[in-house]
């Protein structure tokens, strides 16, 4: 018997394999499915079924990919929408996996057709709940995806799903949601990586309410919605294009890399200081760690993408990109920035002052424009006294609020999003930019943060 | 934050790493510690503490090995005994791991000083219980290790530990015991690989009792006790010899392999049919899958051990052996049985009749002696009508009950232990032996099992 | 700069990558091309050209596969034949690889259009000769592929190619042929794994001749020709089917494995003793080490193939099979022979007597029929005094020469081919078969080989 | 049979394994010997002998390490010196490796006792020459190690060794020297990675001489001698300390990393632009690719060393360092420069102007001091018209020639050594420094290199 969780870093997406005897079921597979195939082969199992918890909006589902590779039957929730593949799940439907049983439980709220799946142990008792985006560790699923009009209605549904269907399964049941901390699908997911219904009942802030009304008050919020969600929703109804095998990012020498650059999106996944020190003009600083989160905000699906990256990250980059449907990946820059420079090509830079220096700016007369790119909910302290707050994802449409006559200094807790913001501004024509290394965090640690 | 379980196959031993921020704690480490070091390095953590749940009897504890490699402080339970290393734990003692807290909980019963460890989540709530050998998934720890005299007393202690200390932590708490299904430390451990206090309270057969008296009645049993337990207990008080690095099994050509054979224990880890077809005279059929379980029953700690095995298993064999203190491993036979034969050396064999053939024996007049080597608790159906039942581990002292004038046919559910039994008999001088491929299982599948 | 040899074990086929600056050329690629792609990516090179030395007959060429993956241009020798892809090479044609130059040299004999390729070092001197099947270490290419009629003519061509074109390049030139010891394309290839024109001029037995006439006398022989050669020749003109990615062998449980068995070829790649002890009725003993050599002799291209093998060999098996065009691979038996038996299915066996026992047969009255399956050229000692010699590959058409009324005992130097022969006979209906472990080699080592 | 070359990157050191049947010999092993042990095990061979070609000066020999692990006998050349281990080789001495023979050939010149080893093929013919530092591809060994006094004498010896002992072995013999291109032990080693005596006789510039006198004139040069050579020579007579296993570099958080920094050497192995953008004050820019070459020039053997590096390089760094005897490696900076800054610690930087900007400096009035750090032999074009040439390794003793009142701009072909020079100057107190990205190469490519 094998119950295994697969974490897609960055998206914080969890998929699961349940295997027993010669059978296996996958819940919410991602698009790069080799890992499921390998584990199933290793365990001597055939993947019979793919169960989807809902029409996903934040990544491409790998169901059709798995069906192509294994012949597995796909069952999708949210069958009120127009799926081009698979079969609809109905509430109470059951499947066997060896000696185990899985039972569908209709738990709407995140979407109208959301399903949870209850895994019963060999003796037939509820053992593990795969809750999709209904209930997380420390949070509940967002209810705003159908728009503000239906916010209350969806929150009400979710209340019913959690309090009347999920929690009654019993405190001892293990909870396996579709996301961990860091996802866009719940705002406050806890770091409690393994959890149970009992722990959530006691500790989940969203469940500490006395009534449905209180729950709706607390939870019915409109949240940030990355532009690529629309694309994912559409493709997840159609069934994403079949990959069959994962492409490799090719190394491109500067001459090849620079061909047709006008239509290319250049993504630089290196650290903030590396980007600051030297980068390709027009490239975007989508540092590795947050690539899955911000690629969908700042890249379009039409133009090909080339990368400036550590070659050792090439494989991980491909995984990240295809999970969110960016398939037009044409390669990475061989020999990096130094090779680019050696080929006689122009290198741009963005100033990365040390904290010592930055402190003199803040204290002195240097007319800088601090640009606080944190999200509204990260600012608990009243924010900076100087400059302005424009959350990172709002920058493209707020360019007119940012001056060009002073040095613009994007700031965030660690400096990474600051450099991303700076790269967006540089591409849009700003040329006096600086990103202090380590951002607000380093600034606080430096002891000179009284005056901003 | 990282909570990770490490499974030592065969022993079904679980050890755990709890890591947060730059700190890590290991609970019940095994002796080949590289995996902890690698994971801690990957996570950027230093291993500060090693916590032992009890004086282990079934494997060598890696505490001193970890202390040598990292400087970690060792805390041992069962400090009533005379430890040569580390510090004693006291009930209620606390340690920090980054933002997490671990608290010791005295849960005697398996041993008098057994400790469980409660991990609290970042908000301070009980989250995970590391229960050592007190409570398992589907069973409770054995209480017979101090002998029959103290059986009732220990069972009573365990009742108190489980019902008055552990279960009150709450149904939602996740249970992480020191063993999974297959261990010698609990007889009926369930296959529910992940569990909670709530699931155990409801489903664990040992907890479905109304009173302490009933629990004692149900649970206070004397179980099989492998001879190597004594060695492990002794070494775990002294602290096992430091390895620093794991030795590699050397390939030995037949000429080298056969040097000084009179004092060598030859272990053959191949499948039953391979062993049957050809093996070194005097070698023992300790097939790979059950090597961790039976090595301690049938090998002595004084003579060097050489292996006949698939070279690709060499590394796994070393891990298994050193975990239970067999360090005198001198190599494996290069080029296998064919090479041995090509070197002009004698190859022995044990007949492996097909089921068709075996059925004619059973039905016909062939005077065979079926030897049922299953354990008493495996025989629910009254057993065979012919031959005799001697559990595998009892064979060495029951040789006088086995005839030499008929073909002896050891039988067990899959045939593996049968071949092990046959190899013990061959070494003791029996020469008319047969092991039907697949044992009783194949026999039942063949449809001719009416008559035995 | 990178010059790298790739060895396809078993076929003893060598392919080569020549890379410099951003360019790479592959000579005689095999069909599983990932290794070339990986090395080129690692070296930051693009594969521009694929050069074939001749229309290959013993494996499928990977040229079209590489063209599909990289856009490389293919140049084929033997353009007198009707190729469906690529461009013809002409004598003296040149290509650049970074600072290096490659020049084609027409060296007919093995085939009429065979080309060698001379790699010049950065200063323009002949450095390495890629000789295809013209000249090997210790042998010259076979000249019998166009039939007995043209044997003399082809040998004469080859003499001219070697003595008038290749050797004059200079003793110091390194020789990189298309095959090493063990290939079917030259009969006596030496084990001198690295060699030079000077070493061959002095040491190659085929070059120690005083005249063309002597060379022809010595070298113009008709050799064994595996039946699959015809298939390879045909497919290598058409261009083998594109794979895009290498399939994985699936684990099949006995129930699935046995579906439609009447049309399946079951290949058992385990060792002789394992096969002897237990195997699927009708399966062929194509032991791993010689699978590449004998698959093409004993399998057909129409029926699907399933394997009984160590699961750890599954990947290697696929590589071997697709290199010679067997693409219908449907899986391997999960849980092996024991699992097969446990599923109630029939297991067959072939007796594997120890040498002690076999010696009593030979010396005694047991009416056995020793079947010497060595090739004619392996028998230097007059052969066995009993039984008969039928080389392994001749067995299918010589069944009428083998008695059924006595125990047939195939013999060869190590016993592997003997078991293969025995499996062929078992499939054809023989049921009294035995293969002494280690064959003639073990027999000689045992000291009882006077009497056969 | 297995003949294998092991390349130690950076040092460009080649060691070799010769294996046949069950025996193996290693020539000039490096100190991290696991790769020899693994390959020997894989081939089923025991390493019997270690042969040294000379008392090495540029890396630590792994002979004693191998002896400890395997019991191999060590034979050292240069036995005129006082070895603390092993046995002396004598001219003509022979060893067997399976069916092969190795014969010692005294070839003095690089050192007085240098030995070459001739490997004979199974038929007894000279096949491969392991020439140590006597003869390389495209160069001969340096003859200046005993000092200027004995320069002529050693060159004369080497002439005799090459022309009267080595070349007479025959043009076809394959040459396997102890170094490839990039070593400090020969100045002009060719990129001809595989070579023969015939190719060297024709193409090696040092062998195109008519007389011994001419050879001496051409070859007897005093070359750069890294300070660590003395240490290697001494340790190679004593036998380097036994490692038993290779240490791992530990991740250190900023707090730990910064403990006792005054006595620590901080080595930064990242690229020039990363170092420029942000680095630890006082750290040295020993970029990964050239770490093996420059560590011995700029680090001392007494103080511990800590690294700022990509964690994925940690293993390679350890290999490189221990090969040249730096064993005091205490860890690497976890979370890099950003983490350092977030911990409130000071980050230093060195300006990395783009070529556009640098060109304006050169053309304009900015009073810069270009510091050409190339070696004398790299400057074929007369050098820069501005600034000064001080080869990189001469900088520490030439600090008084470098002004502090102008921006100092180190320059070299690719910019890497420039940044190393800049880091040395920064550590010595210079604070106005700049390194144009890509150095002179980028400058030429940019098209503005007329004026310097």
């Amino acid at each position: 018997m094998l119950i295994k969780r697969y974490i897609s870093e960055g998206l914080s997406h969890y998929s699961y394999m349940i295997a027993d005897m010669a059978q296996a079921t996958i819940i919410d597979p991602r698009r790069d499915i080799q890992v499921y195939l390998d584990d199933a082969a290793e365990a001597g199992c055939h993947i019979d079924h793919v169960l989807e918890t809902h029409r996903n909006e934040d990544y491409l589902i790998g169901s059709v990919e798995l069906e192509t590779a294994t012949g597995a039957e796909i069952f999708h929730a949210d069958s009120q929408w127009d799926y081009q593949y698979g079969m609809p799940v109905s509430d109470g439907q059951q499947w066997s996996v060896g000696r185990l049983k899985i039972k569908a439980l209709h738990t709407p709220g995140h979407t109208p057709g959301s399903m949870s799946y209850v895994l019963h142990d060999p003796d037939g008792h509820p053992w593990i709940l795969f809750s999709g985006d209904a209930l997380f560790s420390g949070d509940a699923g967002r209810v705003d995806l159908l728009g503000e009009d239906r916010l209350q209605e969806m929150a009400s549904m979710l209340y019913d799903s959690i309090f009347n269907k999920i929690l009654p399964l019993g405190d001892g049941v293990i909870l396996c949601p579709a996301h961990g901390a860091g996802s866009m699908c719940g705002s406050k997911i806890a770091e409690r990586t393994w959890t149970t219904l009992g722990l959530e009942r006691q500790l989940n802030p969203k469940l500490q309410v006395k009534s449905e009304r209180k729950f709706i008050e607390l939870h019915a919020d409109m949240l940030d919605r990355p532009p690529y969600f629309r694309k994912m929703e559409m493709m997840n109804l159609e069934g994403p294009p079949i990959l069959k095998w994962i492409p490799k990012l090719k190394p491109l020498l500067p001459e090849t890399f620079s061909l047709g650059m006008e239509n290319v999106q250049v993504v630089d996944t290196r650290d903030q200081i590396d980007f600051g020190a030297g980068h390709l003009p027009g490239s975007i600083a989508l540092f590795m760690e947050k690539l899955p989160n911000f690629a969908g905000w700042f890249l379009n699906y039409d133009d090909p993408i080339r990368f400036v990256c550590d070659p050792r990250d090439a494989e991980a980059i491909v995984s990240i990109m295809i999970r969110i449907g960016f398939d037009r990946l044409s390669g990475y820059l061989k020999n990096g920035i130094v090779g680019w420079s050696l080929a006689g090509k122009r290198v741009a830079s963005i100033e990365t002052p040390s904290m010592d220096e930055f402190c003199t700016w803040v204290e002195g007369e240097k007319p800088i424009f601090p640009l606080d790119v944190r999200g509204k909910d990260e600012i608990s302290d009243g924010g900076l006294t100087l400059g302005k707050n424009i959350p990172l994802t709002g920058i493209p449409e707020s360019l007119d609020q940012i001056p060009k006559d002073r040095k613009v200094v994007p700031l965030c807790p660690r400096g990474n999003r600051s450099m991303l913001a700076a790269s967006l501004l540089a591409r849009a024509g700003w040329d006096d930019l600086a990103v202090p290394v380590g951002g607000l965090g380093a600034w606080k640690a430096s002891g000179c943060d009284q005056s901003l």
Side-chain angles (χ1 to χ4, degrees), chain A residues 7-14 58 136-139 142 178-193 226 228-229 289-294 297:
Chain A
I7 305 180
S8 304
E9 301 286 357
L11 297 173
S12 301
H13 166 244
Y14 296 164
D58 57 331
F136 299 119
S137 173
D139 200 359
R142 61 192 292 182
H179 285 289
S183 160
M184 298 292 300
C185 298
S187 51
K188 303 278 189 195
I189 297 179
E191 256 201 282
R192 203 167 44 239
T193 44
Y228 82 108
F229 271 28
E289 199 189 338
K290 290 289 175 189
L291 178 61
N293 303 94
F294 292 125
W297 278 100

Side-chain angles (χ1 to χ4, degrees), chain A residues 245-427:
Chain A
W245 82 106
I246 304 300
K248 293 213 168 191
L249 222 49
K250 289 199 183 116
L252 303 173
L253 287 169
E255 290 68 30
T256 317
F257 193 98
S258 55
L259 292 174
M261 280 285 265
E262 54 283 358
N263 296 318
V264 167
Q265 306 177 80
V266 179
V267 170
D268 193 318
T269 64
R270 299 173 305 146
D271 274 355
Q272 56 183 271
I273 54 163
D274 305 345
F275 187 88
H279 58 264
L280 270 56
S283 61
I284 311 182
L286 279 166
F287 52 109
M288 200 61 204
E289 199 189 338
K290 290 289 175 189
L291 178 61
N293 303 94
F294 292 125
W297 278 100
F298 299 116
L299 300 177
N300 69 61
Y301 279 90
D302 299 322
D303 297 322
I305 305 173
R306 292 183 194 147
F307 294 87
V308 177
C309 63
D310 188 316
R312 292 175 285 198
D313 287 332
E315 204 172 324
I317 286 173
V318 170
S319 297
I320 289 167
M321 297 305 279
I322 63 166
R323 281 174 195 161
I324 47 175
F326 289 101
D327 294 359
R328 303 199 57 192
L329 311 172
S330 55
Y332 70 89
L333 181 61
K334 172 83 185 160
N335 299 328
I337 294 299
V338 174
W340 183 257
S341 187
L342 281 164
K345 303 199 174 287
R346 204 165 79 76
V347 173
S349 64
I350 287 174
E351 202 175 349
T352 52
S354 67
M355 275 306 142
D356 294 352
E357 191 175 350
F358 179 60
C359 290
T360 66
W361 295 0
V362 175
E363 290 160 7
E365 299 149 39
K366 187 139 192 172
I368 63 170
F369 181 83
L371 175 62
D372 183 349
V373 303
R374 290 180 291 178
K376 299 294 180 199
D377 55 340
E378 292 175 274
I379 306 177
S380 55
D381 55 357
L384 303 181
T385 55
L386 295 175
K388 191 175 177 61
N389 171 243
I390 306 175
L392 173 62
T393 56
I395 286 180
E397 53 268 28
S398 313
L399 293 174
D400 55 355
Q401 300 175 34
I402 304 168
K404 279 193 160 163
D405 61 347
R406 269 168 297 161
K407 190 183 285 294
V408 176
V409 186
L411 290 166
C412 69
R414 299 175 53 93
N416 285 319
R417 281 178 287 165
S418 311
M419 191 55 89
L420 171 45
S423 73
L424 295 171
L425 292 174
R427 199 172 55 163

